[in-house]
Structure formats: C-alpha cells, structure tokens
Amino acid sequence: MSAPLVTHIYTADPSAHVFDGRVYVYPSHDRETDIHFNDNGDQYDMVDYHVLSMDKIGGEVTDHGVALAAKDVPWVDKQMWAPDAAKGADGRYYLYFPARAHDGVFRIGVAVSDKPEGPFAPQPEAIKGSFSIDPASFVDEDGTAYLYFGGLWGGQLQRYNADGTVSDPKAPEEPTGAGVRALGPRVARLRGDMLEFDETVREILIVDDEGNPILADDHERRFFEAAWMHKRNGKYYFSYSTGDTHLLAYGIGTSPYGPFTYQGTILEPVVGWTTHHSIVDDFEGKSYLFYHDCELSKGVDHLRSVKCREIQYDAAGKIIKQTP
Ligand code: FUB
C-alpha cells in the first residue's frame, strides 16, 4: 500500500509534470463540507489550489501553500475541480482549472505565474469557448500546446455538441441506447500565448480494435472524465477515468487529436468513488502514475489523497495494469 504524498491536507486529481528537473504536482484541494452527497458532485466544493513539489519520487514533498483561490477569480462561483499546468514557450507557467461560474455552468480558466509553484494570477474571464471540467495540458515535441477536457454527469459534458455549442442545457447524465456512441472527450490547440483556444474545440473518438467507436452503454470502456495525454516512442497515450465503473483506462493513437484505440485498464478501482491520475513518463529513467484514493479519510469520497507509484510497459508498449 503506498502512502499519500501529504497528509496535512486532502489532495486529489493529481496532474504531475517535471519542470527544470523537479516534480511538480497540481492537485485539487479537497475539504470537508456539510453538503449532501449527490451524483452531481456538489460535495466536491473546493475553494483553492495548493501546488506540491519534490526533487525526487519518494523524497520530501513541499506544499507551496495557496497558489490560487476562488475568491480571487472574478468569474468563479464555486467548485474548483481538477487543475493542470503547462510551461509556455515564454518560460512562464499556466494553471488551467475548471470551476462553476455564477450562472452554474462549468468553464475552464487560466492563471499565470513566473514560477511553477505560483502564486498564479488569474485571467478575469474563462477561456472563450471552454466548457465542462478536468483540463489537461499537453505540449508536444514541436512546442504546440493542447488542452484536453470534459466530464460527464456533474461535469456537464452531455450538454454540449462536439464543437462546444450548447445542445441541451438540461440533458440527462449521458447518452444511452443500443448502438449509441459514447460522448468523446474534447481537445483544442492552445494559442501561442497559452491563454485562449486557437481553434474550434474538437471531439475525440475512442475506438475498439476494429475501429468501431466505443458505445455509450459500454461503461467499462467509455470516457467519463479525467483526461490525460502523454507521449512515448512517438505514440500518443490518451488516458481517462470510466467514472461509475471506477477504472483508469487508455487508448493509443498517432495524432494528438486521436482517434485513440482502446488498450485496457491502467488502474483497477481504488477506495472511493472517483479515480483520476496523471502519468510522468521517463523521470530519471522510470515512469510514474500519480493517482488518488480515500484510504486516509477511511472512504469518504470527497476527501482524497494523492499517491504515486512506478508503472511499467510491456515490449509492445502497453501499460502493465496496476492493482491498488
Ligand atoms: O475533484 C472533483 C472531480 O472529481 C474531478 O474534476 C473529477 O475528475 C473527479 O476526480
């Protein structure tokens, strides 16, 4: 059983990156509330972000304190959910974060710092054309940056068309029915200044071995939330949570836009409802999975703790499945 990275606060949804030889983790900062649990996730009522860092895996972890608070972001009402960060070509750091705006709609914001640990100064408005939750940034080897995002149910992805135009503001949790395709995660290239999308949002297709889209009722394989992208040996690995089946799954493709061919499970269910992760490939010759569970809170779903474990690939480049 691995230990939480920190125990003085609850942390979740870890997005880990290596910046200038040091590992930085951008997690959600879980907190206790008296909000009733529901499938909408209202109990996940976070108000700020802390950044964690360490110079080696298993080494001392520094909590850099509050990096960004909801009260300092004009467009945010509540629920600062899973963030991520990227280093821009200008050497500055960009924190991407989803939150519920004053009209009750989840959007994605960005905040900027000269340092990877922040504090981050927020842009006054959310990213134009952004919607839903769980942004994950990815900077390709040619320097092009992308933002992946999306989440079903309380994450509101089901309310949107492929390009982000609103389809049904009161859409039920997700599509269902014989032959109905699953909703795909979304991606957009980021502008050179990292502050806005540089193109219309695209829907990503996840397909099976025959090239058929994964179906909406295939809850063991369909995308739910927690997008992550990493690249290994020229291939794009898109990983995600399957939500109500509690798996971390992934697909592989030859383009950052997909399609991604479903490969299998990365991590079996952890203690707690949600599962959410990131992958740091090749840090000092090893690959690591950052994830969370609710062992420290003894199973309270919205009080999670970030952990890290080494992962391995087989000779064909498939990730060897982890059991918590
Ligand atoms: O932390 C709040 C939400 O829980 C995240 O946005 C989801 O990915 C799930 O982990």
Side-chain angles (χ1 to χ4, degrees):
M1 191 189 303
S2 41
L5 291 191
V6 294
T7 56
H8 65 291
I9 55 173
Y10 288 110
T11 55
D13 309 323
S15 294
H17 295 274
V18 179
F19 294 130
D20 299 327
R22 190 170 174 86
V23 179
Y24 289 87
V25 184
Y26 301 85
S28 299
H29 176 199
D30 285 355
R31 64 174 192 139
E32 303 207 35
T33 74
D34 52 13
I35 297 169
H36 267 314
F37 290 21
N38 57 34
D39 283 348
N40 213 30
D42 291 347
Q43 64 274 26
Y44 297 86
D45 188 37
M46 297 84 103
V47 295
D48 60 22
Y49 296 111
H50 286 220
V51 178
L52 309 176
S53 77
M54 64 208 88
D55 61 5
K56 61 175 195 262
I57 302 294
E60 189 187 342
V61 177
T62 303
D63 172 0
H64 296 276
V66 176
L68 180 69
K71 66 176 175 45
D72 298 325
V73 191
W75 66 268
V76 168
D77 180 25
K78 59 184 179 180
Q79 290 180 293
M80 296 186 102
W81 284 10
D84 191 15
K87 186 175 185 177
D90 59 0
R92 299 211 288 172
Y93 297 86
Y94 295 84
L95 181 74
Y96 298 97
F97 59 97
R100 215 185 260 269
H102 298 288
D103 58 3
V105 173
F106 269 108
R107 296 197 176 81
I108 297 169
V110 57
V112 188
S113 177
D114 290 332
K115 293 181 290 182
E117 68 271 27
F120 291 87
Q123 293 292 105
E125 306 282 346
I127 294 173
K128 283 191 267 318
S130 71
F131 55 95
S132 198
I133 60 167
D134 290 4
S137 56
F138 169 69
V139 181
D140 209 343
E141 286 156 304
D142 66 359
T144 308
Y146 303 87
L147 201 68
Y148 297 84
F149 59 95
L152 293 170
W153 297 16
Q156 303 177 344
L157 185 62
Q158 65 277 7
R159 298 182 179 184
Y160 296 90
N161 296 311
D163 62 357
T165 50
V166 176
S167 80
D168 177 359
K170 291 202 166 50
E173 287 176 336
E174 60 179 306
T176 180
V180 175
R181 281 184 184 192
L183 281 175
R186 307 297 156 89
V187 62
R189 192 177 61 239
L190 287 163
R191 221 165 58 183
D193 66 4
M194 306 291 275
L195 297 176
E196 298 286 351
F197 295 154
D198 198 24
E199 62 179 351
T200 303
V201 171
R202 307 180 192 208
E203 184 170 4
I204 290 171
L205 201 55
I206 301 171
V207 299
D208 64 17
D209 281 340
E210 280 80 50
N212 300 312
I214 300 293
L215 298 181
D217 286 336
D218 185 352
H219 286 207
E220 298 271 321
R221 297 193 295 176
R222 64 98 170 76
F223 170 81
F224 187 91
E225 63 186 5
W228 186 257
M229 168 60 65
H230 75 280
K231 194 174 182 184
R232 181 180 172 87
N233 296 334
K235 290 184 182 158
Y236 296 86
Y237 288 66
F238 178 80
S239 47
Y240 56 96
S241 162
T242 63
D244 57 343
T245 49
H246 317 290
L247 302 168
L248 290 179
Y250 75 111
I252 296 179
T254 56
S255 155
Y257 293 116
F260 299 105
T261 305
Y262 176 86
Q263 302 291 316
T265 298
I266 299 172
L267 181 67
E268 293 187 331
V270 294
V271 175
W273 199 96
T274 67
T275 187
H276 191 129
H277 70 299
S278 61
I279 292 170
V280 169
D281 217 52
D282 198 8
F283 176 61
E284 298 178 341
K286 293 182 175 173
S287 300
Y288 295 96
L289 176 72
F290 290 77
Y291 62 105
H292 69 225
D293 69 24
C294 301
E295 281 180 354
L296 185 64
S297 70
K298 302 196 168 37
V300 180
D301 284 337
H302 68 290
L303 297 178
R304 301 161 291 181
S305 301
V306 168
K307 297 182 171 181
C308 174
R309 59 166 67 194
E310 190 181 342
I311 54 168
Q312 263 120 14
Y313 297 80
D314 69 15
K318 290 189 77 160
I319 299 171
I320 296 173
K321 184 167 72 177
Q322 299 285 306
T323 305

